[in-house]
Amino acid sequence: MKAIKLLPVLFLFILAACSSVRVNADYDKNVDFTQYRTYAFHKSGIDKVQISEFDKKRILYAIDNELSKMGMTKSENPDLLINIFTKERERLEVNQFNAGWGYGWGYGWNPYLWGGRNYVSSSTEGTLYIDLIDAKKKELVWEGEGVGYLTENRDQKEKQINEFVAKILAQFPPK
């Protein structure tokens, strides 16, 4: 249960600061993407995503906004179903400074700095997947992926999520 409560906090780190989002997409090369004009969210799939309801709403709103910019409309009888999925991993960075050993330029050995200083920082790197599923065939036709970090600054979260989703969906439809 603690893990589920921590997921919204961890998800804050998923959608990293501005330019650190790395995106990728994969798709079925036999699909004609010009046939897709309408969409709906795949409720049963989205309900399984273990992030806060607020973040889920932010992501869905951002997807809705980006798809409408592309001329697509939301429909009760859609051509595409939209699903999302997230995952995260903890990243540790260890830096050791002034250990008191070594050769070459610098201060050399110092008996008062035995052991030096270790600095450990951690961050959570996360991935957001946006899946587009052919509603008639029930087959995945396109998947966009974005990897990055998000700060804990709640005031900037919506802006970062919008940017994250925009960068992923900029790859749709495939060229």
Side-chain angles (χ1 to χ4, degrees), residues 3-23:
I4 291 174
K5 289 182 181 178
L6 289 175
L7 283 174
V9 174
L10 293 175
F11 187 73
L12 294 176
F13 294 101
I14 291 176
L15 305 174
C18 299
S19 298
S20 63
V21 177
R22 298 178 314 275
V23 295

Side-chain angles (χ1 to χ4, degrees), residues 41-50 56 60 82-86 131 133:
F41 293 109
H42 190 257
K43 183 168 173 31
S44 62
I46 291 172
D47 287 344
K48 294 177 186 174
V49 179
Q50 295 184 349
K56 206 179 287 188
L60 297 180
I82 312 296
N83 193 31
I84 62 172
F85 175 72
T86 62
D131 295 339
I133 302 161

Side-chain angles (χ1 to χ4, degrees), residues 31-93:
V31 172
D32 176 16
F33 288 93
T34 60
Q35 67 180 323
Y36 300 121
R37 293 188 177 89
T38 61
Y39 68 95
F41 293 109
H42 190 257
K43 183 168 173 31
S44 62
I46 291 172
D47 287 344
K48 294 177 186 174
V49 179
Q50 295 184 349
I51 57 175
S52 77
E53 289 299 314
F54 292 118
D55 286 340
K56 206 179 287 188
K57 286 179 182 179
R58 287 178 183 108
I59 292 169
L60 297 180
Y61 176 77
I63 292 170
D64 200 24
N65 188 38
E66 289 301 315
L67 292 178
S68 67
K69 286 180 187 176
M70 295 177 195
M72 296 184 73
T73 56
K74 208 180 237 187
S75 171
E76 293 292 323
N77 188 19
D79 301 324
L80 287 172
L81 294 173
I82 312 296
N83 193 31
I84 62 172
F85 175 72
T86 62
K87 68 179 183 178
E88 70 275 332
R89 73 178 186 164
E90 190 74 18
R91 296 193 51 118
L92 294 175
E93 186 172 324

